[in-house]
Amino acid sequence: MTDALFHAYASLCIWMSLGVVLYRILPDRVPRWIGRGLFWAGMPVEIFTLARHADFSRPIWLAPTATVCTLLLGLGIALGLLRLSQRWPQDWLGLQSGPRKGSFVLSSMLGNTGFVGLAIAASVLNPENLGLAAFFTVAHNATGLYGMGVLVAHHFGEREPGEGESSDRPWWTSLIAVLKVPSLWAFLLGASTQSVMFSEATEAALARSIWVVIPCGFLLMGMRLSQLKSWRSLVCGLVPAGIKVLLMPAIVALVTPFWDIVGEPRLALVLMAGTPTALTALVLAEEYNLDRELIASSIALSMIALIPLVPLWLTILS
């Protein structure tokens, strides 16, 4: 397991560093191309492959229930701290505006379960438990990134000058966006074709595709993190990063035994709950005019914190 974790970290560091370098010499539109390619093709193929070989004999409710609970946990902690900061004599969190508050909540709640979570899970979990991590990712994308995340961003977002109430998106457009997520359909297709026999060449290609998607995801992360122009939000970014990668997985690790969730399923849920702040939070910040620097700082800090925390969870829970 130590060797697997070392290879996972080495891949993460190498490809993210390469992304930082390439961003400075490639056209600005390249990260967007990579991101759209991963969203529409790379991640669906990865989810499809994991779902085809996943063990769904355990209760099917476990992953989506755990996902919603961790999202609500992050949301509750972030909103509680916002309320506490308003009663404090000084604004100790530095959250003076609505857009900054929205970024704080998104950074505390949304995790990078796709690129980082599944990459770590694929390195340290047995194949029969990867389905739990994959299902967690799909549920997180549907209910978190494109559900709660949109609602939070819309609530705290800053309107453009002259923008009135008529520009508000009706609730059903968010539902349509969820139904359009290709990873959701890839998961359903993969789970429903477990009994279908593919050729050996096809199975081998699907297995190898995972190790193409993961480096591309890390490459994209390096490109996006290289866009950081200021560290003014670093101090405030410490708090949501701590909530995301330390407090949330610690709470999950403490409460799961009460529901008889132990062993590798418990480890899988803890790892997925403790993933770094999601890159998609930056997309929501662009769309709804939130604070970009705070989210970018939380992404960077939570990625750094993940390096010592994953071995800690493996030591405690294995």
Side-chain angles (χ1 to χ4, degrees), residues 86 111-112 138 155 159 232 236 246:
Q86 293 174 353
N112 197 325
V138 173
H155 177 75
R159 296 183 185 279
R232 290 181 302 156
C236 192
L246 182 59

Side-chain angles (χ1 to χ4, degrees), residues 15-47:
W15 288 104
M16 283 186 61
S17 299
L18 182 59
V20 171
V21 174
L22 289 178
Y23 177 76
R24 303 183 185 280
I25 61 177
L26 293 177
D28 293 340
R29 58 184 178 273
V30 171
R32 177 170 174 79
W33 289 347
I34 296 176
R36 291 184 66 85
L38 288 171
F39 180 83
W40 289 104
M43 284 300 299
V45 171
E46 181 180 8
I47 294 292

Side-chain angles (χ1 to χ4, degrees), residues 8-311:
Y9 279 166
S11 175
L12 186 151
C13 294
I14 291 171
W15 288 104
M16 283 186 61
S17 299
L18 182 59
V20 171
V21 174
L22 289 178
Y23 177 76
R24 303 183 185 280
I25 61 177
L26 293 177
D28 293 340
R29 58 184 178 273
V30 171
R32 177 170 174 79
W33 289 347
I34 296 176
R36 291 184 66 85
L38 288 171
F39 180 83
W40 289 104
M43 284 300 299
V45 171
E46 181 180 8
I47 294 292
F48 173 81
T49 305
L50 294 176
R52 264 186 58 81
H53 300 283
D55 178 14
F56 294 107
S57 59
R58 67 184 84 256
I60 199 66
W61 53 264
L62 180 56
T65 301
T67 305
V68 173
C69 288
T70 54
L71 288 168
L72 292 176
L73 176 63
L75 177 64
I77 293 173
L79 292 178
L81 286 176
L82 284 179
R83 195 173 189 86
L84 183 63
S85 68
Q86 293 174 353
R87 297 183 178 182
W88 206 259
Q90 294 182 341
D91 187 6
W92 58 284
L93 286 177
L95 303 174
Q96 300 89 358
S97 65
R100 199 166 177 82
K101 294 176 182 177
S103 294
F104 179 84
V105 176
L106 291 180
S107 299
S108 304
M109 179 179 64
L110 301 180
N112 197 325
T113 58
F115 301 142
V116 178
L118 285 180
I120 298 296
S123 299
V124 301
L125 298 179
N126 292 319
E128 61 268 19
N129 289 308
L130 282 178
L132 184 59
F135 201 179
F136 191 108
T137 298
V138 173
H140 183 274
N141 287 351
T143 61
L145 301 181
Y146 304 102
M148 296 183 192
V150 171
L151 293 177
V152 169
H154 184 273
H155 177 75
F156 288 103
E158 189 177 66
R159 296 183 185 279
E160 297 290 344
E163 189 177 3
E165 294 296 327
S166 60
S167 64
D168 291 348
R169 291 178 174 83
W171 65 269
W172 51 265
T173 58
S174 296
L175 178 60
I176 292 176
V178 171
L179 295 177
K180 288 182 178 179
V181 175
S183 294
L184 172 63
W185 297 102
F187 179 85
L188 295 175
L189 184 62
S192 62
T193 58
Q194 285 189 336
S195 59
V196 179
M197 298 296 295
F198 291 172
S199 67
E200 292 185 5
T202 301
E203 291 286 3
L206 288 173
R208 285 193 294 268
S209 68
I210 295 179
W211 303 110
V212 174
V213 174
I214 290 174
C216 287
F218 290 158
L219 193 70
L220 176 63
M221 290 182 65
M223 291 181 173
R224 290 305 186 191
L225 290 178
S226 67
Q227 294 177 306
L228 275 172
K229 295 181 174 63
S230 171
W231 291 96
R232 290 181 302 156
S233 301
L234 183 60
V235 175
C236 192
L238 282 169
V239 178
I243 294 172
K244 189 67 199 67
V245 297
L246 182 59
L247 187 57
M248 288 177 61
I251 294 175
V252 171
L254 289 174
V255 302
T256 43
F258 292 100
W259 281 272
D260 294 327
I261 304 172
V262 295
E264 269 209 354
R266 181 189 183 195
L267 175 61
L269 295 181
V270 170
L271 291 176
M272 300 305 284
T275 51
T277 298
L279 280 173
T280 306
L282 274 177
V283 177
L284 294 177
E286 293 288 348
E287 180 69 19
Y288 294 98
N289 294 312
L290 300 178
D291 189 297
R292 284 81 159 172
E293 289 184 348
L294 174 57
I295 294 178
S297 297
S298 181
I299 292 173
L301 291 169
S302 57
M303 283 295 300
I304 294 171
L306 184 72
I307 295 175
L309 285 174
V310 171

